Amino acid sequence: MPLSTHAARFAGLALANITREYPNFPAHLITSPDEPLEPSSLHPAFYGAYDWHSSVHMHWLLVRVLRRHGGTPALPDTGGAVEVLDRHLTPGNLAAEAAYLRDRPSFERPYGWAWLLALAAECRALGGEAGERWTAALAPAVDVVDGLLADWLPRATYPVRHGNHPNSAFALGLALDSGELSAATDLAVRERLSDWFADDHDAPAHWEPSGQDFLSPALSEADAMRRVLPKDRFAQWLGRFLPALGSGAPCLLLEVPVVSDHADPQIGHLLGLTLSRAAALRSVAGALPAGAVRDRLGEAAEAHLSAGLPAVGRGDFTTDHWLATFAALALDPVAGR
């Protein structure tokens, strides 16, 4: 199922969310009674969609859909989207966002950082006058994130392996995909991923999922390693990391998770897990040679995608403010990421 099938709906969701200031959950440390605390004062570009990282990746979703399908029958009217993005992605707004990140080196580390890089990459790939405007406006924030990553990586002795926002593998893989890192930082990311994960084996896949995961720790790690290892070495690494895939033994990672309450903000994370797993399974499968393991992963990806897509845009803000982003990752071809 292509992204074009959902282009107009996803664009509508993104627009509704990035312009919706409340409800809002700012991750902001208050240091003075005189601080302005309105979300749009703290974050003039990324004030909507409940929290900063969701706002950034819903902007990414909007640009992604514009780039893929803007001006086609799937999304013929793009004027409203361009108008909102022009209002948000201005040099002044992004300078304020860059300053906020610079002054708070652990804010949104590393998940929000990676999504900002992904947004910049989409704007660059969009091209044209609009894409060039937004790319130029984002450049100072991209430079700040590059510097923050370069400073943090040598101190990140251990990876974060759980299935929520701080997961190291997911964010660093997304950062590599962006192509927005300096050569030195790109190399540092690849070296850190190898240092953390190259010797891993026999992942405890039977521990997954945890009760509020929206990422799979094991699949996020595998998806990160397929970005840094040559294909032949990656296949060998995956065989050691998840031996059940090759043996044909049952593997819980391939089973669609049960989501008992879609409206619960934490249990509802598992809806995102179905979609992020689908994306990772497709990407990992695409890095493997033809055969039983690749087929098995592809079948599991389709099952997860089919389970997760109906939950996107149900009118419940607990999931509407973020879930479509992961649907887009799962729907897009691996080569497009």
Side-chain angles (χ1 to χ4, degrees):
M1 184 182 300
L3 178 59
S4 60
T5 306
H6 304 274
R9 186 163 65 98
F10 285 5
L13 280 168
L15 278 169
N17 276 286
I18 65 177
T19 57
R20 180 174 179 170
E21 189 165 2
Y22 299 100
N24 202 290
F25 189 73
H28 177 75
L29 177 65
I30 302 171
T31 59
S32 164
D34 302 321
E35 287 186 54
L37 298 178
E38 295 83 5
S40 54
S41 296
L42 294 171
H43 299 294
F46 305 124
Y47 61 83
Y50 187 68
D51 49 29
W52 193 86
H53 55 259
S54 297
S55 183
V56 174
H57 65 63
M58 291 300 267
H59 279 79
W60 171 91
L61 174 63
L62 187 56
V63 180
R64 180 78 147 193
V65 173
L66 283 176
R67 179 165 77 89
R68 292 283 201 249
H69 304 294
T72 72
L75 191 67
D77 183 10
T78 61
V82 172
E83 180 183 351
V84 169
L85 289 165
D86 268 339
R87 193 162 69 240
H88 288 192
L89 303 182
T90 67
N93 287 350
L94 271 301
E97 299 286 2
Y100 192 97
L101 291 168
R102 186 185 302 109
D103 293 343
R104 297 163 181 83
S106 63
F107 176 73
E108 291 284 357
R109 183 181 73 195
Y111 182 81
W113 294 356
W115 277 114
L116 188 136
L117 295 172
L119 170 60
E122 281 300 312
C123 293
R124 188 180 303 279
L126 174 67
E129 292 183 3
E132 290 174 4
R133 283 197 304 274
W134 304 334
T135 299
L138 281 158
V142 168
D143 288 344
V144 169
V145 168
D146 187 277
L148 290 172
L149 261 174
D151 180 67
W152 169 63
L153 286 169
R155 299 181 287 112
T157 307
Y158 308 107
V160 176
R161 296 178 182 268
H162 64 61
N164 273 275
H165 306 89
N167 182 281
S168 303
F170 176 82
L172 294 189
L174 195 62
L176 288 178
D177 282 351
S178 75
E180 293 292 318
L181 296 173
S182 65
T185 305
D186 183 280
L187 178 60
V189 168
R190 295 175 186 277
E191 290 177 343
R192 181 52 81 206
L193 287 171
S194 294
D195 290 344
W196 283 337
F197 301 133
D199 294 331
D200 281 2
H201 56 87
D202 299 301
H206 59 286
W207 288 1
E208 295 190 34
S210 185
Q212 57 189 40
D213 284 353
F214 70 91
L215 300 169
S216 162
L219 290 176
S220 293
E221 178 175 338
D223 201 17
M225 291 306 287
R226 64 98 185 159
R227 291 163 165 107
V228 300
L229 291 175
K231 281 194 172 184
D232 56 341
R233 289 183 56 199
F234 174 67
Q236 295 171 3
W237 177 91
L238 187 66
R240 296 191 304 271
F241 184 63
L242 293 170
L245 297 180
S247 70
C251 181
L252 287 177
L253 291 177
L254 306 184
E255 297 179 13
V256 176
V258 174
V259 188
S260 63
D261 185 353
H262 288 204
D264 183 282
Q266 298 304 320
I267 296 173
H269 270 181
L270 294 166
L271 295 167
L273 180 64
T274 65
L275 296 168
S276 68
R277 276 187 178 183
L281 287 163
R282 290 186 70 192
S283 296
V284 170
L288 296 174
V293 174
R294 180 171 177 162
D295 292 345
R296 193 178 183 193
L297 296 182
E299 291 169 5
E302 292 306 312
H304 280 76
L305 183 59
S306 296
L309 270 179
V312 178
R314 295 182 307 115
D316 183 348
F317 187 62
T318 58
T319 51
D320 282 1
H321 78 275
W322 66 280
L323 196 57
T325 300
F326 286 88
L329 285 179
L331 288 164
D332 253 353
V334 173
R337 292 181 58 199

